[in-house]
Amino acid sequence: MLKAHGITKTFGEGPSRTVALRDVDLSVDYGEMLYIVGPSGSGKTTLLSIISGILRPDAGQVVVKDRDIWTLDSDALAGFRLQTIGFVFQDYHLFPRLTTTENVAIPLILRRESWEQSLAQARRTLRIVGLETKEGLPPYKLSGGEKQRVAIARAIVSEPDLLVLDEPTASLDGETGRMIVSFVKENILNAHRAIVIVTHDSRIYEYATRVVRMEDGHIIPGGG
Amino acid sequence: MSGLLRIALKLLLNDRGKFVTLVIGITFSAFLMTQMTSMFSGILHQSAANIINVGAKMWVMDPAVETPQNSIPLPNYVLDAVRSIPGVKFAVPLYIGAGLVKLDDGTYQAATIIGLDDATLFGRPTMIAGHILDIYKNNAFIMVKDANYPKLNSPRIGTSFEINDHRAVVVGLAHTAIPGLFGLPTLYTTYTRATEDLPPTRYQISYILVEPKSRTDILPIEAAVHHLGYLALTDREFIARNDRFYEFKTGMGTNILMMTLISFFVGLSIAGETFYMFILDNVEHFGALKAIGAKSRELIQMIVFQALVVGFLGFGFGVLLSSGMIALAKLKIPNYAAMVTYLTLVLALVMVLIISIFSSYIGIRKVTRIDPFDVFRG
Ligand SMILES: Nc1ncnc2c1ncn2[C@@H]1O[C@H](COP(=O)(O)OP(=O)(O)OP(=O)(O)O)[C@@H](O)[C@H]1O
Ligand SMILES: [Mg+2]
């Protein structure tokens, strides 16, 4: 469903110039739970941002569901992200002053679905992640693992084709991290969806369907 | 309301502390601005009392006169000259001056004396007791029953006192549209008696009141009077001239303008600062919204909406507060000059909108500059 080809990205100029990605190729298929692993600074977040339409590459092509996404203008790109991609951020980024339900409903509201329908769908999704009892609470009253489940609910509420998670377990203890990831694999992954997870948490490797290893802006051949 | 605006509203309302600070800041600023400008428009209104109460369509005066509070006497030939201008239906003299009233108990009180043309009584007040024709009786004066009426010990018909050492008898009580600015009681009499009883100068006509035959005669009359070396103004022009006098030549206007601007800047800084902090608190979440797929335009809509909500709330409360204060003050102080007009409201609204626009502008700058990649990297 996703093919990235020849992705190159540099940051900065002069002495502070950093080549974050050099000529990277990557493809992802439906039904995959792909891990991108590697040492800090190897370019994992940069690659994930480029394939999900957040960061523009200096060179290369990303084709998602037959669309060459980096030829789109910024509004069309925002529309693409909204329709196709679900994001889970490392520090959740939930609005502390909205209830969990309202937070989860945001992608639907951005899609201009009605308030009532959005909230109803958000409640159903909270049930999927096992948080139906936390509906009316603000996120700061939840534990770290619960917050991450709310973030996952927000990412999947609009049924995206591709779910991207950057270090989803970094702020969680080991047991909770494993629970979250196994939950994602069992309940969220399906034949119509692909999941890409960036992590260097080796405790969760067992849940991957495929692992690619990065080092210094490259994907190591056969490094899984 | 669209779901996004609803989210924007919840973000704002649920941040109770900042929301209250924003609304109070703008309320205070709108309150002060309406209060200042209402006070000034009340002063302007009352300072034009004579023009409005007499009600003539056109006024002829010495070119140096800037306000009906003082007049410069006109020689008698000007009256004849004005009467012979084509387009003048009729022209009559008016006397406005100050008289010193000596009350029964021996105390003195200054008063405004208005002398109406003997033949026509043009510019007469509305009678509430007695008959206007009694003004022709010996030493007759008609007293205006307004907030300053008690200052002459609330005289009744038949009460007598001395004005400038001449005997005066109250023969009627009258009502006028608005009280004057300086808190002086007003007495009407005939032009002849006014000019006889008050210290004579060489000339005695304060103003010549003119009734044009039609509206189209106004400009030619003004030109003809100008040719005579005098100034003819319609009542509106005279009120505008009086306004300009108070606005620019008394220091009152400048002071009030300064106070209004200070109130504006106080509101601007409180609201601008608080709103900026509000946006800063949420900036990463706005960045996350951007990553998820919100367009910049949608984020701008949310911010402008939030700024307008606090702006209109603050404006509403501010106006309510100042109207309430003014109404209360008017109950207690009959002469209280402040007056909330459409102009003062529009002015305050425009100032508040500028505050809202400024606040949202700094918020928008902040939010459109966040890069979702930075949010993503954490
Ligand atoms: N906005 C930026 N400006 C300058 N350099 C950047 C920027 N973003 C990333 N880099 C650099 O690009 C390289 C790759 O960064 P990236 O965040 O993709 O690494 P990562 O593999 O995700 O590391 P980590 O595991 O620590 O999250 C790093 O050397 C980083 O310093
Ligand atoms: Mg990273």
Side-chain angles (χ1 to χ4, degrees):
Chain A
M1 57 109 32
L2 180 147
K3 277 201 182 339
H5 179 68
I7 303 295
T8 299
K9 181 75 191 178
T10 43
F11 291 107
E13 307 221 334
S16 66
R17 188 178 137 97
T18 318
V19 182
L21 295 175
R22 317 162 191 264
D23 199 18
V24 171
D25 294 346
L26 180 75
S27 67
V28 185
D29 288 325
Y30 284 111
E32 270 198 302
M33 179 135 146
L34 172 68
Y35 276 32
I36 302 177
V37 302
S40 182
S42 56
K44 306 181 297 291
T45 300
T46 308
L47 180 59
L48 193 64
S49 305
I50 289 174
I51 62 171
S52 58
I54 280 189
L55 180 69
R56 180 175 291 277
D58 298 337
Q61 203 183 30
V62 178
V63 178
V64 181
K65 290 174 77 188
D66 300 324
R67 267 159 89 199
D68 185 350
I69 63 171
W70 287 110
T71 61
L72 302 173
D73 66 29
S74 68
D75 274 5
L77 199 58
F80 157 79
R81 292 197 299 268
L82 188 58
Q83 300 300 328
T84 317
I85 312 234
F87 291 92
V88 177
F89 309 99
Q90 181 179 324
D91 11 318
Y92 325 123
H93 285 304
L94 302 171
F95 281 101
R97 305 205 184 264
L98 298 179
T99 65
T100 52
T101 318
E102 286 159 356
N103 266 293
V104 170
I106 279 179
L108 299 176
I109 290 167
L110 281 173
R111 287 184 181 196
R112 312 262 161 199
E113 287 183 23
S114 81
W115 182 261
E116 286 71 23
Q117 276 178 0
S118 303
L119 287 189
Q121 179 64 25
R123 271 183 224 110
R124 280 193 289 276
T125 313
L126 277 174
R127 215 168 297 144
I128 294 175
V129 298
L131 287 179
E132 59 271 26
T133 56
K134 310 289 182 186
E135 277 177 6
L137 294 183
Y140 61 83
K141 293 205 173 150
L142 304 180
S143 71
E146 288 169 338
K147 279 185 211 166
Q148 193 58 296
R149 278 191 278 165
V150 174
I152 290 169
R154 180 177 65 184
I156 61 170
V157 72
S158 58
E159 302 283 343
D161 299 75
L162 175 64
L163 200 64
V164 299
L165 304 87
D166 193 1
E167 310 278 8
T169 59
S171 318
L172 305 174
D173 65 75
E175 194 46 39
T176 314
R178 285 165 60 93
M179 270 173 53
I180 293 273
V181 175
S182 78
F183 172 83
V184 167
K185 183 166 185 186
E186 274 157 35
N187 298 279
I188 312 247
L189 183 62
N190 61 40
H192 315 289
R193 177 175 287 163
I195 298 177
V196 179
I197 297 181
V198 162
T199 186
H200 41 214
D201 182 355
S202 57
R203 292 167 302 193
I204 60 170
Y205 284 8
E206 59 184 282
Y207 301 102
T209 60
R210 179 159 69 100
V211 176
V212 297
R213 180 172 298 276
M214 290 193 70
E215 226 162 78
D216 195 23
H218 290 287
I219 288 183
I220 310 290
Chain B
M1 187 173 18
S2 93
L4 268 186
L5 296 189
R6 206 151 154 179
I7 292 282
L9 193 63
K10 288 190 177 231
L11 290 178
L12 179 69
L13 296 185
N14 291 350
D15 194 344
R16 206 59 57 78
K18 293 208 184 59
F19 174 67
V20 169
T21 311
L22 279 167
V23 172
I24 288 181
I26 295 179
T27 298
F28 191 62
S29 169
F31 164 68
L32 285 178
M33 290 190 293
T34 358
Q35 193 72 18
M36 293 291 148
T37 49
S38 300
M39 196 168 89
F40 194 50
S41 64
I43 288 175
L44 290 184
H45 189 62
Q46 292 201 2
S47 69
N50 284 336
I51 310 177
I52 294 164
N53 290 340
V54 169
K57 288 211 181 72
M58 292 186 78
W59 296 63
V60 174
M61 65 202 78
D62 188 280
V65 170
E66 298 193 274
T67 158
Q69 262 54 258
N70 8 55
S71 58
I72 298 171
L74 303 168
N76 288 330
Y77 81 84
V78 182
L79 179 59
D80 297 325
V82 170
R83 280 181 171 151
S84 62
I85 295 171
V88 170
K89 193 167 167 195
F90 62 81
V92 298
L94 179 75
Y95 175 88
I96 302 181
L100 198 55
V101 177
K102 188 180 177 197
L103 299 171
D104 268 355
D105 56 12
T107 56
Y108 287 92
Q109 165 70 46
T112 302
I113 310 290
I114 297 181
L116 301 174
D117 173 48
D118 294 59
T120 59
L121 296 183
F122 186 67
R124 75 189 75 157
T126 314
M127 299 300 293
I128 50 182
H131 197 280
I132 184 70
L133 293 180
D134 294 339
I135 203 168
Y136 294 121
K137 288 183 176 165
N138 277 342
N139 304 320
F141 283 81
I142 289 168
M143 165 101 215
V144 175
K145 196 169 178 182
D146 59 10
N148 302 304
Y149 171 70
K151 292 179 182 167
L152 293 186
N153 291 348
S154 306
R156 278 176 291 173
I157 293 180
T159 306
S160 66
F161 33 63
E162 282 177 20
I163 302 179
N164 295 356
D165 298 331
H166 287 70
R167 190 178 133 76
V169 182
V170 175
V171 297
L173 298 178
H175 167 82
T176 52
I178 38 175
L181 181 60
F182 294 111
L184 293 185
T186 306
L187 292 161
Y188 280 85
T189 186
T190 59
Y191 179 80
T192 312
R193 187 169 311 108
T195 50
E196 278 168 6
D197 288 0
L198 293 159
T201 51
R202 192 148 64 96
Y203 307 132
Q204 286 155 347
I205 302 176
S206 306
Y207 294 95
I208 296 168
L209 306 178
V210 175
E211 177 73 18
K213 286 182 184 144
S214 73
R215 299 186 58 80
T216 51
D217 291 316
I218 289 175
L219 280 180
I221 293 173
E222 289 186 351
V225 170
H226 181 73
H227 196 69
L228 287 172
Y230 290 89
L231 179 65
L233 298 174
T234 63
D235 49 355
R236 278 162 179 275
E237 289 167 340
F238 195 16
I239 290 172
R241 187 178 174 87
N242 176 59
D243 288 353
R244 275 197 304 279
F245 175 73
Y246 279 89
E247 279 159 8
F248 301 114
K249 297 193 179 168
T250 58
M252 223 185 279
T254 339
N255 272 325
I256 293 202
L257 183 73
M258 263 165 51
M259 283 307 295
T260 309
L261 282 180
I262 290 170
S263 324
F264 169 71
F265 282 112
V266 168
L268 187 71
S269 46
I270 296 179
E273 163 95 19
T274 313
F275 199 73
Y276 185 67
M277 303 222 298
F278 169 71
I279 295 294
L280 272 191
D281 273 0
N282 284 300
V283 79
E284 296 218 323
H285 308 305
F286 278 116
L289 281 188
K290 247 182 168 175
I292 291 172
K295 301 180 178 69
S296 290
R297 186 169 10 98
E298 292 168 328
L299 298 183
I300 291 173
Q301 278 169 10
M302 291 173 77
I303 292 173
V304 169
F305 180 68
Q306 289 165 335
L308 286 180
V309 166
V310 289
F312 278 110
L313 279 178
F315 173 74
F317 288 140
V319 165
L320 274 184
L321 205 63
S322 69
S323 322
M325 287 262 299
I326 290 171
L328 206 70
K330 280 196 166 155
L331 278 183
K332 297 276 167 214
I333 315 163
N335 244 337
Y336 190 67
M339 185 169 83
V340 182
T341 65
Y342 282 116
L343 188 69
T344 62
L345 292 184
V346 168
L347 206 76
L349 182 61
V350 168
M351 304 280 242
V352 166
L353 284 181
I354 292 175
I355 292 177
S356 288
I357 290 168
F358 171 78
S359 304
S360 46
Y361 171 72
I362 51 179
I364 287 167
R365 258 171 50 126
K366 192 83 204 152
V367 164
T368 49
R369 283 182 186 179
I370 15 163
D371 186 345
F373 177 56
D374 292 331
V375 176
F376 203 73
R377 292 208 318 149

